Amino acid sequence: MKIIWTLTDESPRLASLTLLPLVQAFAALADVTVEARDISLSARILAQFPERLSPAQHRPDAMVELAQLTSSPRANIIKLPNMSASVPQIKAAIADLQAQGFNLPDYPDSIVTAEDRDVRRRYGKTKGSAVNPVLREGNSDRRAPHSVKSYARKHPHHMGRWSPDSKTRVATMNGDDFRANEKSWVAPADDLLTITFIDDTGGTRLLRDSVSVLAGEVVDASVLRAGPLRAFIEDQIQRAKEEDLLFSVHLKATMMKVSDPIIFGHVIRAFFPGVFDRHGAELAVAGYTPNHGLAALLSGLDALPNGAEISRAFQEGIDDGPALAMVDVGKGITNLHAPNDVIIDASMPAMIRTSGHMRGPDGLERDTLAVIPDSSYAGIYQKVIDDCRAHGAFNPATLGSVSNVGLMAQKAEEYGSHNKTFEMTGTGTVQVTNAAGEILLEHHVATGDIWRACQTTDVAIRDWVALAVTRARATGTPAVFWLDPTRAHDTALSEIVHAYLKGEDTDGLDVQVLPPEHAMEYSLERIRRGEDTISVTGNLLRDYLTDLFPIMELGTSSRMLSVVPLLSGGRVFETGAGGTAPTLTRAFEETGHFGWDSTGELLALAESLQFVADRTGNANAAILSETLSEAIEQLLDMGLTPASGHAVIDTRESHLHLASLWYLALRHTPIAARVAQSIPSAILSTLRQVSAAHSSATEHQWSGATLWNDGMRNS
């Protein structure tokens, strides 16, 4: 059984340059092959246009291969964090590739011809979290490994102090959003659905046809109304200014790649009403949309006749409005510069960890109004803020853990909504009908409203419930399903969950179903007591919680272990969060110091090797897994990861330290004799030098600066 190592973008791609050769050399000790597959944004773009490329320029479509592999019980894939590309990022990648001689078409800003539509469709396959739904043919088991949790308790990270007088809070809609307008239907049998828009004059427009559903599948539809959204945003801008709070908006444009950029565009329009009242038509004709953010708008002003005037109008809007939360103060990047810059699952935990503060234009921390328009899960963040205001910051040295079992198999829930999300161009009704023409779901809509539908298969739900029970039994930890009785989808899901729980052996287990805000309160009470809890959630909430709790517990979500037991029996091992990937890449370009922490990749590799051992009886793979786990724990304890604060240690050096510790751990195992045979002599010589130093060093004596010289760095 071979291991597939995915090559992605930015920091994970750079880290693989030094880590992957070491992984391949060590895996060979157990006769395990580790093969790379390129699923980077550039590779995915090139794979969409084979007819436009020369034979030498062709790139295989690795996503097609991996999609097929996920149906095999022998699938063993290590998925590194991948870029969730926005349209501006795709355009930048296209320009780079064109400059290198690849005959790619420009990204069409508007659809005029059939060719435009085809090109837009192909590029659409690379947009947002395009990789995740393909590989996640199973539900998620995400948790902090013992070594990582132990390290965090022994070396607690800094948590900012909270004041009981903090004015930081979450602002969310109280109606007319996706949560309030959601409707659900459970398919009694296999069917084909059609989505149609019927305008007020009786004219019809087909939005989607031949939407296949299976018996027991949950189908949801909802609409977020543009008018109330705009009024809500305008009100929050005014409140932030009156209360002297930083204004920030928190969305998930990478995952909700159709709906959330539109919402982001509404925020831009509301923040700069004067700009769009006076110059909106000119910007639209030039092809600029607020959906892409302030940076995209500002970058093209020099090419417009009234560019200087429009630029002044934007500055006036900033001066007249509340102070904006900043992404990068030094570079003047605000919270509104790009929809992908402030991703809720990373930005909200960072704010909570930093005393409920974000940084303003002056570089100073301030209380913040966190605007989360859709109310579906906004309340969970308010509960954390309330808890910190009442009880102070969390103490990582004593915190328990909240792991997660996430419903994401077969594009469950929000991940499946992209091709069924529409910005309405008129007033009328959207209907979902079955093959017999019966109306199943229906919403009245107006121009600008965002209507969406999504699906969750019965087999995914059944597997999710079984996985939750399995984890509860394996750990003896309470498992809590976070389901909201005021949401139509969660009401339907609750009935199915209770039915499937009756078929599971839950004797002696603590398995509950709680509304998300109550589940958050329950979990926070437990982790403050040092107790563990399993959160069992839907797909979007899985994303939120698997950053929120790890950032509080560990200081980072990059060191989490995420195992995806595929429905076919194979495994995908995910390697942690990639939120810092672009920042660390820029820092490397500017300073030459590379600070990517590969602990997530190493944890995934240890589990992947154990999976090989379990499935094939390969005892040497089990030895590699066990010794790698020992090496990871030592690497953390000795402070030899880039995130440990030792400025002399960068990613490349950390990899070699890991290899030397792994080498030491293997010395007294049955495969010790194979090391000299399988690992290249140049690498082996360096490992022996570093390992000798490791053998004589203690945690308190260790200093990377005493061991490293130019020759060893080059090795």
Side-chain angles (χ1 to χ4, degrees):
M1 175 184 283
K2 62 185 171 184
I3 297 172
I4 301 298
W5 184 281
T6 57
L7 298 175
T8 55
D9 296 281
E10 299 173 325
S11 293
R13 180 61 169 258
L14 289 173
S16 290
L17 291 173
T18 52
L19 182 57
L20 181 55
L22 292 172
V23 167
Q24 291 170 324
F26 276 89
L29 300 176
D31 299 312
V32 175
T33 301
V34 181
E35 297 181 356
R37 295 293 185 274
D38 192 347
I39 59 171
S40 64
L41 176 60
S42 60
R44 300 194 324 262
I45 286 174
L46 293 174
Q48 299 304 314
F49 299 94
E51 78 282 0
R52 301 178 67 103
L53 306 178
S54 69
Q57 293 177 327
H58 276 195
R59 296 293 186 275
D61 194 337
M63 292 308 303
V64 172
E65 178 191 355
L66 294 179
Q68 295 170 345
L69 182 58
T70 58
S71 298
S72 167
R74 297 182 65 82
N76 188 350
I77 303 169
I78 295 179
K79 189 192 90 65
L80 277 67
N82 60 280
M83 177 187 289
S84 296
S86 64
V87 171
Q89 287 173 314
I90 293 172
K91 288 182 175 180
I94 294 168
D96 284 344
L97 291 168
Q98 289 171 335
Q100 296 175 45
F102 292 95
N103 181 30
L104 294 172
D106 291 336
Y107 187 97
D109 289 313
S110 58
I111 303 298
V112 178
T113 66
E115 182 182 5
D116 292 338
R117 183 172 290 103
D118 178 60
V119 170
R120 176 82 73 86
R121 177 188 62 81
R122 295 199 209 186
Y123 281 133
K125 293 181 180 180
T126 70
K127 186 166 65 173
S129 296
V131 171
N132 293 334
V134 174
L135 297 185
R136 289 172 171 171
E137 279 296 303
N139 292 307
S140 170
D141 169 15
R142 192 166 169 88
R143 57 190 185 272
H146 171 76
S147 59
V148 172
K149 186 65 177 178
S150 174
Y151 174 81
R153 282 178 166 163
K154 288 187 289 186
H155 308 278
H157 57 275
H158 174 72
M159 297 285 285
R161 296 183 62 182
W162 272 80
S163 166
D165 299 323
S166 170
K167 297 189 294 182
T168 292
R169 69 175 188 275
V170 171
T172 191
M173 296 177 72
N174 59 12
D176 288 311
D177 60 355
F178 289 128
R179 176 187 179 185
N181 295 323
E182 190 173 65
K183 299 179 181 180
S184 290
W185 170 78
V186 181
D190 295 359
D191 212 330
L192 281 177
L193 308 185
T194 300
I195 305 174
T196 307
F197 171 62
I198 306 169
D199 66 32
D200 284 345
T201 67
T204 64
R205 179 162 60 93
L206 181 66
L207 299 180
R208 278 294 308 277
D209 64 350
S210 301
V211 179
S212 177
V213 295
L214 303 174
E217 191 159 353
V218 180
V219 179
D220 309 301
S222 190
V223 60
L224 188 151
R225 305 200 184 281
L229 170 65
R230 178 65 178 264
F232 162 76
I233 296 169
E234 291 172 348
D235 185 47
Q236 302 317 310
I237 292 170
Q238 185 62 31
R239 286 178 182 272
K241 186 173 182 177
E242 291 173 354
E243 299 180 29
D244 195 26
L245 297 172
L246 293 179
F247 178 84
S248 64
V249 62
H250 303 262
L251 298 167
K252 184 66 172 173
T254 52
M255 181 174 173
M256 312 302 292
K257 62 185 181 182
V258 178
S259 61
D260 281 21
I262 297 172
I263 297 172
F264 195 80
H266 280 286
V267 177
I268 297 288
R269 289 179 181 276
F271 204 93
F272 300 99
V275 173
F276 290 95
D277 287 345
R278 297 195 300 271
H279 307 288
E282 183 178 355
L283 289 169
V285 169
Y288 296 107
T289 168
N291 296 8
H292 296 165
L294 189 58
L297 290 166
L298 295 176
S299 65
L301 293 183
D302 289 344
L304 299 181
N306 296 327
E309 180 184 347
I310 298 173
S311 179
R312 286 193 297 271
F314 273 117
Q315 187 58 52
E316 289 171 3
I318 291 175
D319 294 340
D320 292 342
L324 281 171
M326 303 297 289
V327 171
D328 189 323
V329 176
K331 296 181 178 179
I333 299 175
T334 74
N335 176 264
L336 301 182
H337 263 59
N340 283 25
D341 273 350
V342 185
I343 305 303
I344 183 171
D345 42 324
S347 60
M348 286 300 297
M351 185 188 76
I352 290 166
R353 180 182 170 183
T354 315
S355 310
H357 294 160
M358 296 181 76
R359 292 194 183 275
D362 56 3
L364 301 178
E365 293 182 7
R366 290 170 56 181
D367 288 346
T368 304
L369 183 67
V371 178
I372 306 174
D374 179 43
S375 65
S376 294
Y377 302 119
I380 66 166
Y381 291 115
Q382 185 63 55
K383 288 295 181 183
V384 181
I385 290 170
D386 292 343
D387 184 272
C388 290
R389 189 183 289 115
H391 304 293
F394 298 98
N395 181 3
T398 59
L399 278 184
S401 284
V402 179
S403 57
N404 182 264
V405 173
L407 174 60
M408 67 180 194
Q410 299 186 335
K411 303 180 182 180
E413 295 185 344
E414 290 90 351
Y415 266 113
S417 71
H418 311 321
N419 61 357
K420 295 180 288 293
T421 300
F422 308 95
E423 185 176 23
M424 306 313 301
T425 57
T427 301
T429 302
V430 177
Q431 293 180 344
V432 180
T433 55
N434 62 9
E438 300 169 321
I439 299 173
L440 309 175
L441 302 167
E442 185 176 45
H443 289 95
H444 179 74
V445 296
T447 301
D449 289 353
I450 308 169
W451 186 95
R452 76 178 187 201
C454 53
Q455 301 165 247
T456 310
T457 63
D458 180 67
V459 66
I461 300 169
R462 182 189 294 267
D463 180 81
W464 177 56
V465 172
L467 181 59
V469 172
T470 297
R471 291 301 304 157
R473 186 164 297 284
T475 60
T477 301
V480 181
F481 286 83
W482 296 43
L483 295 172
D484 184 351
T486 67
R487 278 189 63 184
H489 168 80
D490 284 13
T491 300
L493 215 60
S494 293
E495 295 179 4
I496 299 170
V497 165
H498 283 297
Y500 284 148
L501 282 174
K502 292 178 181 178
E504 297 286 337
D505 179 10
T506 58
D507 287 348
L509 302 183
D510 185 353
V511 180
Q512 306 178 49
V513 178
L514 294 175
E517 292 182 20
H518 294 174
M520 177 59 79
E521 291 175 334
Y522 175 81
S523 301
L524 293 175
E525 289 172 2
R526 289 183 58 83
I527 63 170
R528 282 195 182 273
R529 295 197 300 263
E531 298 171 344
D532 299 341
T533 313
I534 300 171
S535 60
V536 190
T537 70
N539 204 354
L540 190 58
L541 193 49
R542 172 197 63 82
D543 247 14
Y544 294 177
L545 298 188
T546 56
D547 271 321
L548 174 64
F549 285 112
I551 287 173
M552 293 191 295
E553 296 174 30
L554 313 175
T556 175
S557 56
S558 66
R559 293 178 175 176
M560 292 290 282
L561 174 63
S562 183
V563 181
V564 182
L566 299 173
L567 300 178
S568 62
R571 293 288 187 275
V572 171
F573 302 94
E574 300 194 12
T575 64
T580 60
T583 303
L584 295 176
T585 300
R586 287 194 295 269
F588 174 61
E589 291 171 341
E590 294 169 0
T591 68
H593 182 86
F594 190 33
W596 177 259
D597 182 357
S598 293
T599 304
E601 290 96 305
L602 299 172
L603 294 167
L605 177 61
E607 290 290 318
S608 175
L609 288 166
Q610 187 60 52
F611 181 58
V612 172
D614 294 341
R615 282 297 173 88
T616 66
N618 185 335
N620 289 341
I623 292 172
L624 284 179
S625 176
E626 182 179 353
T627 52
L628 174 57
S629 296
E630 293 174 11
I632 294 169
E633 188 161 1
Q634 291 178 343
L635 190 80
L636 293 172
D637 282 341
M638 298 176 79
L640 294 175
T641 61
S644 64
H646 296 274
V648 296
I649 299 294
D650 88 346
T651 303
R652 295 158 291 183
E653 298 167 342
S654 180
H655 290 165
L656 192 50
H657 282 299
L658 180 280
S660 68
L661 292 168
W662 199 357
Y663 166 73
L664 283 173
L666 284 167
R667 285 187 306 172
H668 304 296
T669 67
I671 59 174
R674 301 194 64 181
V675 174
Q677 301 169 8
S678 300
I679 296 182
S681 58
I683 295 178
L684 189 60
S685 174
T686 303
L687 291 182
R688 285 170 174 160
Q689 294 178 60
V690 182
S691 298
H694 279 180
S695 297
S696 61
T698 68
E699 180 179 350
H700 300 291
Q701 295 170 333
W702 178 263
S703 171
T706 66
L707 291 178
W708 285 97
N709 55 46
D710 290 341
M712 295 177 73
R713 287 174 185 267
N714 291 336
S715 297

